[in-house]
mmCIF file of all heavy atoms in Angstrom:
data_model
loop_
_atom_site.group_PDB
_atom_site.id
_atom_site.type_symbol
_atom_site.label_atom_id
_atom_site.label_comp_id
_atom_site.label_asym_id
_atom_site.label_seq_id
_atom_site.Cartn_x
_atom_site.Cartn_y
_atom_site.Cartn_z
ATOM 1 N N LEU A 1 0.825 -1.200 0.000
ATOM 2 C CA LEU A 1 0.000 0.000 0.000
ATOM 3 C C LEU A 1 0.865 1.259 0.000
ATOM 4 O O LEU A 1 0.366 2.354 0.272
ATOM 5 C CB LEU A 1 -0.921 0.009 1.230
ATOM 6 C CG LEU A 1 -2.033 -1.040 1.250
ATOM 7 C CD1 LEU A 1 -2.835 -0.941 2.541
ATOM 8 C CD2 LEU A 1 -2.946 -0.894 0.053
ATOM 9 N N CYS A 2 2.125 1.109 -0.321
ATOM 10 C CA CYS A 2 3.061 2.240 -0.265
ATOM 11 C C CYS A 2 2.579 3.398 -1.135
ATOM 12 O O CYS A 2 2.283 3.227 -2.320
ATOM 13 C CB CYS A 2 4.452 1.796 -0.725
ATOM 14 S SG CYS A 2 5.258 0.666 0.420
ATOM 15 N N GLY A 3 2.493 4.581 -0.520
ATOM 16 C CA GLY A 3 2.127 5.784 -1.237
ATOM 17 C C GLY A 3 0.646 5.958 -1.476
ATOM 18 O O GLY A 3 0.222 6.986 -2.010
ATOM 19 N N LYS A 4 -0.163 4.984 -1.086
ATOM 20 C CA LYS A 4 -1.605 5.085 -1.290
ATOM 21 C C LYS A 4 -2.233 5.820 -0.101
ATOM 22 O O LYS A 4 -1.965 5.489 1.043
ATOM 23 C CB LYS A 4 -2.216 3.695 -1.476
ATOM 24 C CG LYS A 4 -1.770 3.013 -2.760
ATOM 25 C CD LYS A 4 -2.379 1.640 -2.893
ATOM 26 C CE LYS A 4 -2.095 1.036 -4.273
ATOM 27 N NZ LYS A 4 -0.684 0.837 -4.532
ATOM 28 N N ARG A 5 -3.083 6.799 -0.398
ATOM 29 C CA ARG A 5 -3.677 7.619 0.647
ATOM 30 C C ARG A 5 -5.106 7.156 0.922
ATOM 31 O O ARG A 5 -5.927 7.049 0.000
ATOM 32 C CB ARG A 5 -3.677 9.089 0.224
ATOM 33 C CG ARG A 5 -4.006 10.062 1.355
ATOM 34 C CD ARG A 5 -3.784 11.479 0.875
ATOM 35 N NE ARG A 5 -4.120 12.461 1.886
ATOM 36 C CZ ARG A 5 -4.106 13.770 1.684
ATOM 37 N NH1 ARG A 5 -3.750 14.244 0.491
ATOM 38 N NH2 ARG A 5 -4.430 14.604 2.646
ATOM 39 N N LEU A 6 -5.381 6.878 2.184
ATOM 40 C CA LEU A 6 -6.677 6.351 2.591
ATOM 41 C C LEU A 6 -7.314 7.284 3.613
ATOM 42 O O LEU A 6 -6.623 7.911 4.418
ATOM 43 C CB LEU A 6 -6.523 4.954 3.209
ATOM 44 C CG LEU A 6 -5.755 3.909 2.385
ATOM 45 C CD1 LEU A 6 -5.555 2.646 3.200
ATOM 46 C CD2 LEU A 6 -6.491 3.602 1.095
ATOM 47 N N LEU A 7 -8.636 7.366 3.593
ATOM 48 C CA LEU A 7 -9.394 8.107 4.594
ATOM 49 C C LEU A 7 -9.999 7.096 5.559
ATOM 50 O O LEU A 7 -10.778 6.224 5.145
ATOM 51 C CB LEU A 7 -10.491 8.938 3.935
ATOM 52 C CG LEU A 7 -11.403 9.740 4.877
ATOM 53 C CD1 LEU A 7 -10.591 10.779 5.656
ATOM 54 C CD2 LEU A 7 -12.525 10.409 4.091
ATOM 55 N N VAL A 8 -9.644 7.194 6.839
ATOM 56 C CA VAL A 8 -10.157 6.268 7.850
ATOM 57 C C VAL A 8 -11.130 7.023 8.748
ATOM 58 O O VAL A 8 -10.790 8.062 9.315
ATOM 59 C CB VAL A 8 -9.009 5.665 8.685
ATOM 60 C CG1 VAL A 8 -9.566 4.738 9.759
ATOM 61 C CG2 VAL A 8 -8.037 4.904 7.785
ATOM 62 N N VAL A 9 -12.332 6.475 8.882
ATOM 63 C CA VAL A 9 -13.396 7.115 9.655
ATOM 64 C C VAL A 9 -13.752 6.194 10.827
ATOM 65 O O VAL A 9 -14.268 5.091 10.620
ATOM 66 C CB VAL A 9 -14.644 7.358 8.777
ATOM 67 C CG1 VAL A 9 -15.617 8.281 9.489
ATOM 68 C CG2 VAL A 9 -14.249 7.904 7.412
ATOM 69 N N GLU A 10 -13.489 6.625 12.035
ATOM 70 C CA GLU A 10 -13.653 5.770 13.217
ATOM 71 C C GLU A 10 -13.784 6.654 14.454
ATOM 72 O O GLU A 10 -12.922 7.493 14.716
ATOM 73 C CB GLU A 10 -12.453 4.826 13.339
ATOM 74 C CG GLU A 10 -12.347 4.071 14.641
ATOM 75 C CD GLU A 10 -13.511 3.130 14.876
ATOM 76 O OE1 GLU A 10 -13.641 2.141 14.128
ATOM 77 O OE2 GLU A 10 -14.292 3.401 15.814
ATOM 78 N N ASP A 11 -14.854 6.476 15.234
ATOM 79 C CA ASP A 11 -15.078 7.356 16.388
ATOM 80 C C ASP A 11 -14.387 6.878 17.657
ATOM 81 O O ASP A 11 -14.278 7.619 18.629
ATOM 82 C CB ASP A 11 -16.579 7.542 16.644
ATOM 83 C CG ASP A 11 -17.236 6.294 17.228
ATOM 84 O OD1 ASP A 11 -16.865 5.185 16.794
ATOM 85 O OD2 ASP A 11 -18.111 6.429 18.100
ATOM 86 N N ASN A 12 -13.908 5.637 17.658
ATOM 87 C CA ASN A 12 -13.227 5.107 18.834
ATOM 88 C C ASN A 12 -11.721 5.296 18.692
ATOM 89 O O ASN A 12 -11.117 4.821 17.722
ATOM 90 C CB ASN A 12 -13.568 3.614 19.007
ATOM 91 C CG ASN A 12 -12.949 3.006 20.242
ATOM 92 O OD1 ASN A 12 -11.746 2.755 20.280
ATOM 93 N ND2 ASN A 12 -13.772 2.776 21.251
ATOM 94 N N GLU A 13 -11.114 5.991 19.646
ATOM 95 C CA GLU A 13 -9.693 6.351 19.508
ATOM 96 C C GLU A 13 -8.796 5.114 19.471
ATOM 97 O O GLU A 13 -7.813 5.080 18.720
ATOM 98 C CB GLU A 13 -9.279 7.279 20.650
ATOM 99 C CG GLU A 13 -9.908 8.667 20.567
ATOM 100 C CD GLU A 13 -9.335 9.623 21.593
ATOM 101 O OE1 GLU A 13 -8.319 9.274 22.227
ATOM 102 O OE2 GLU A 13 -9.900 10.722 21.766
ATOM 103 N N LEU A 14 -9.107 4.107 20.278
ATOM 104 C CA LEU A 14 -8.279 2.901 20.289
ATOM 105 C C LEU A 14 -8.399 2.162 18.956
ATOM 106 O O LEU A 14 -7.385 1.738 18.382
ATOM 107 C CB LEU A 14 -8.692 1.984 21.443
ATOM 108 C CG LEU A 14 -7.927 0.651 21.536
ATOM 109 C CD1 LEU A 14 -6.428 0.883 21.668
ATOM 110 C CD2 LEU A 14 -8.448 -0.189 22.694
ATOM 111 N N ASN A 15 -9.622 2.016 18.451
ATOM 112 C CA ASN A 15 -9.799 1.359 17.151
ATOM 113 C C ASN A 15 -9.088 2.131 16.043
ATOM 114 O O ASN A 15 -8.503 1.534 15.127
ATOM 115 C CB ASN A 15 -11.282 1.233 16.818
ATOM 116 C CG ASN A 15 -11.990 0.201 17.664
ATOM 117 O OD1 ASN A 15 -11.359 -0.658 18.260
ATOM 118 N ND2 ASN A 15 -13.312 0.289 17.733
ATOM 119 N N MET A 16 -9.134 3.472 16.123
ATOM 120 C CA MET A 16 -8.441 4.293 15.138
ATOM 121 C C MET A 16 -6.937 4.063 15.203
ATOM 122 O O MET A 16 -6.265 3.915 14.168
ATOM 123 C CB MET A 16 -8.752 5.776 15.364
ATOM 124 C CG MET A 16 -8.014 6.712 14.413
ATOM 125 S SD MET A 16 -8.564 6.547 12.702
ATOM 126 C CE MET A 16 -10.011 7.632 12.742
ATOM 127 N N GLU A 17 -6.409 4.008 16.421
ATOM 128 C CA GLU A 17 -4.971 3.790 16.583
ATOM 129 C C GLU A 17 -4.545 2.447 15.989
ATOM 130 O O GLU A 17 -3.508 2.342 15.328
ATOM 131 C CB GLU A 17 -4.601 3.855 18.068
ATOM 132 C CG GLU A 17 -3.122 3.718 18.342
ATOM 133 C CD GLU A 17 -2.782 3.823 19.825
ATOM 134 O OE1 GLU A 17 -3.652 4.243 20.611
ATOM 135 O OE2 GLU A 17 -1.638 3.474 20.194
ATOM 136 N N ILE A 18 -5.360 1.423 16.212
ATOM 137 C CA ILE A 18 -5.050 0.091 15.671
ATOM 138 C C ILE A 18 -5.078 0.104 14.145
ATOM 139 O O ILE A 18 -4.172 -0.418 13.483
ATOM 140 C CB ILE A 18 -6.049 -0.951 16.220
ATOM 141 C CG1 ILE A 18 -5.837 -1.139 17.725
ATOM 142 C CG2 ILE A 18 -5.903 -2.281 15.483
ATOM 143 C CD1 ILE A 18 -6.920 -1.936 18.402
ATOM 144 N N ALA A 19 -6.117 0.727 13.564
ATOM 145 C CA ALA A 19 -6.229 0.782 12.109
ATOM 146 C C ALA A 19 -5.058 1.554 11.507
ATOM 147 O O ALA A 19 -4.461 1.128 10.505
ATOM 148 C CB ALA A 19 -7.557 1.427 11.711
ATOM 149 N N GLU A 20 -4.727 2.694 12.106
ATOM 150 C CA GLU A 20 -3.604 3.487 11.608
ATOM 151 C C GLU A 20 -2.306 2.698 11.674
ATOM 152 O O GLU A 20 -1.497 2.728 10.733
ATOM 153 C CB GLU A 20 -3.462 4.771 12.436
ATOM 154 C CG GLU A 20 -4.547 5.801 12.194
ATOM 155 C CD GLU A 20 -4.372 7.023 13.075
ATOM 156 O OE1 GLU A 20 -3.764 6.892 14.162
ATOM 157 O OE2 GLU A 20 -4.837 8.100 12.701
ATOM 158 N N PHE A 21 -2.088 2.000 12.766
ATOM 159 C CA PHE A 21 -0.859 1.213 12.936
ATOM 160 C C PHE A 21 -0.733 0.158 11.840
ATOM 161 O O PHE A 21 0.334 -0.007 11.234
ATOM 162 C CB PHE A 21 -0.864 0.556 14.319
ATOM 163 C CG PHE A 21 0.324 -0.325 14.584
ATOM 164 C CD1 PHE A 21 1.554 0.220 14.943
ATOM 165 C CD2 PHE A 21 0.224 -1.708 14.467
ATOM 166 C CE1 PHE A 21 2.654 -0.595 15.183
ATOM 167 C CE2 PHE A 21 1.315 -2.523 14.704
ATOM 168 C CZ PHE A 21 2.530 -1.958 15.063
ATOM 169 N N MET A 22 -1.822 -0.547 11.559
ATOM 170 C CA MET A 22 -1.786 -1.597 10.542
ATOM 171 C C MET A 22 -1.576 -1.015 9.148
ATOM 172 O O MET A 22 -0.775 -1.525 8.359
ATOM 173 C CB MET A 22 -3.096 -2.393 10.579
ATOM 174 C CG MET A 22 -3.281 -3.234 11.821
ATOM 175 S SD MET A 22 -4.879 -4.105 11.775
ATOM 176 C CE MET A 22 -4.760 -5.091 13.293
ATOM 177 N N LEU A 23 -2.284 0.052 8.843
ATOM 178 C CA LEU A 23 -2.223 0.621 7.490
ATOM 179 C C LEU A 23 -0.886 1.306 7.234
ATOM 180 O O LEU A 23 -0.290 1.147 6.163
ATOM 181 C CB LEU A 23 -3.373 1.607 7.293
ATOM 182 C CG LEU A 23 -4.771 0.977 7.303
ATOM 183 C CD1 LEU A 23 -5.840 2.056 7.342
ATOM 184 C CD2 LEU A 23 -4.966 0.074 6.089
ATOM 185 N N LYS A 24 -0.418 2.068 8.199
ATOM 186 C CA LYS A 24 0.873 2.742 8.026
ATOM 187 C C LYS A 24 1.998 1.722 7.964
ATOM 188 O O LYS A 24 2.985 1.907 7.246
ATOM 189 C CB LYS A 24 1.099 3.748 9.143
ATOM 190 C CG LYS A 24 0.193 4.971 9.051
ATOM 191 C CD LYS A 24 0.439 5.948 10.196
ATOM 192 C CE LYS A 24 -0.469 7.164 10.072
ATOM 193 N NZ LYS A 24 -0.269 8.126 11.198
ATOM 194 N N GLY A 25 1.850 0.619 8.701
ATOM 195 C CA GLY A 25 2.847 -0.443 8.640
ATOM 196 C C GLY A 25 2.920 -1.083 7.269
ATOM 197 O O GLY A 25 3.942 -1.667 6.893
ATOM 198 N N ALA A 26 1.808 -1.001 6.508
ATOM 199 C CA ALA A 26 1.777 -1.533 5.144
ATOM 200 C C ALA A 26 2.162 -0.479 4.119
ATOM 201 O O ALA A 26 2.064 -0.723 2.914
ATOM 202 C CB ALA A 26 0.385 -2.078 4.828
ATOM 203 N N GLY A 27 2.569 0.706 4.590
ATOM 204 C CA GLY A 27 3.056 1.743 3.681
ATOM 205 C C GLY A 27 2.047 2.790 3.275
ATOM 206 O O GLY A 27 2.368 3.698 2.502
ATOM 207 N N ALA A 28 0.808 2.703 3.779
ATOM 208 C CA ALA A 28 -0.227 3.647 3.366
ATOM 209 C C ALA A 28 -0.074 4.993 4.074
ATOM 210 O O ALA A 28 0.474 5.081 5.176
ATOM 211 C CB ALA A 28 -1.603 3.067 3.667
ATOM 212 N N GLU A 29 -0.582 6.034 3.425
ATOM 213 C CA GLU A 29 -0.739 7.335 4.059
ATOM 214 C C GLU A 29 -2.183 7.420 4.553
ATOM 215 O O GLU A 29 -3.116 7.086 3.824
ATOM 216 C CB GLU A 29 -0.447 8.458 3.067
ATOM 217 C CG GLU A 29 0.987 8.428 2.528
ATOM 218 C CD GLU A 29 1.222 9.501 1.478
ATOM 219 O OE1 GLU A 29 0.314 10.353 1.282
ATOM 220 O OE2 GLU A 29 2.282 9.477 0.835
ATOM 221 N N VAL A 30 -2.377 7.863 5.790
ATOM 222 C CA VAL A 30 -3.691 7.805 6.413
ATOM 223 C C VAL A 30 -4.133 9.182 6.887
ATOM 224 O O VAL A 30 -3.396 9.870 7.591
ATOM 225 C CB VAL A 30 -3.686 6.829 7.621
ATOM 226 C CG1 VAL A 30 -5.049 6.837 8.320
ATOM 227 C CG2 VAL A 30 -3.334 5.417 7.166
ATOM 228 N N ASP A 31 -5.337 9.582 6.490
ATOM 229 C CA ASP A 31 -6.014 10.750 7.061
ATOM 230 C C ASP A 31 -7.138 10.223 7.945
ATOM 231 O O ASP A 31 -7.927 9.364 7.508
ATOM 232 C CB ASP A 31 -6.587 11.644 5.963
ATOM 233 C CG ASP A 31 -5.499 12.424 5.232
ATOM 234 O OD1 ASP A 31 -4.328 12.368 5.666
ATOM 235 O OD2 ASP A 31 -5.811 13.078 4.215
ATOM 236 N N SER A 32 -7.232 10.741 9.161
ATOM 237 C CA SER A 32 -8.159 10.189 10.138
ATOM 238 C C SER A 32 -9.211 11.219 10.545
ATOM 239 O O SER A 32 -8.870 12.363 10.847
ATOM 240 C CB SER A 32 -7.403 9.729 11.391
ATOM 241 O OG SER A 32 -6.355 8.845 11.043
ATOM 242 N N VAL A 33 -10.482 10.791 10.569
ATOM 243 C CA VAL A 33 -11.576 11.617 11.079
ATOM 244 C C VAL A 33 -12.450 10.737 11.962
ATOM 245 O O VAL A 33 -12.418 9.511 11.867
ATOM 246 C CB VAL A 33 -12.409 12.247 9.946
ATOM 247 C CG1 VAL A 33 -11.582 13.246 9.155
ATOM 248 C CG2 VAL A 33 -12.982 11.182 9.025
ATOM 249 N N PHE A 34 -13.268 11.389 12.819
ATOM 250 C CA PHE A 34 -13.922 10.644 13.888
ATOM 251 C C PHE A 34 -15.450 10.620 13.821
ATOM 252 O O PHE A 34 -16.095 10.167 14.761
ATOM 253 C CB PHE A 34 -13.450 11.188 15.241
ATOM 254 C CG PHE A 34 -11.994 10.924 15.509
ATOM 255 C CD1 PHE A 34 -11.022 11.805 15.071
ATOM 256 C CD2 PHE A 34 -11.592 9.766 16.154
ATOM 257 C CE1 PHE A 34 -9.674 11.549 15.301
ATOM 258 C CE2 PHE A 34 -10.257 9.495 16.379
ATOM 259 C CZ PHE A 34 -9.284 10.387 15.950
#
């Protein structure tokens, strides 16, 4: 997923942190909203 930009929508901060960790670990760029 290197260089791919994703929008992640999640109201739970812990769930957001987990999703960001997994996606960024795969090379994605992540914008987060709640």
Side-chain angles (χ1 to χ4, degrees):
L1 291 178
C2 291
K4 293 179 172 62
R5 192 172 178 185
L6 307 173
L7 178 62
V8 178
V9 192
E10 169 63 67
D11 72 321
N12 183 286
E13 291 188 11
L14 178 58
N15 288 342
M16 177 68 84
E17 183 179 347
I18 293 169
E20 288 178 334
F21 178 79
M22 291 179 176
L23 294 170
K24 289 179 179 179
E29 299 176 8
V30 177
D31 286 353
S32 306
V33 294
F34 293 87

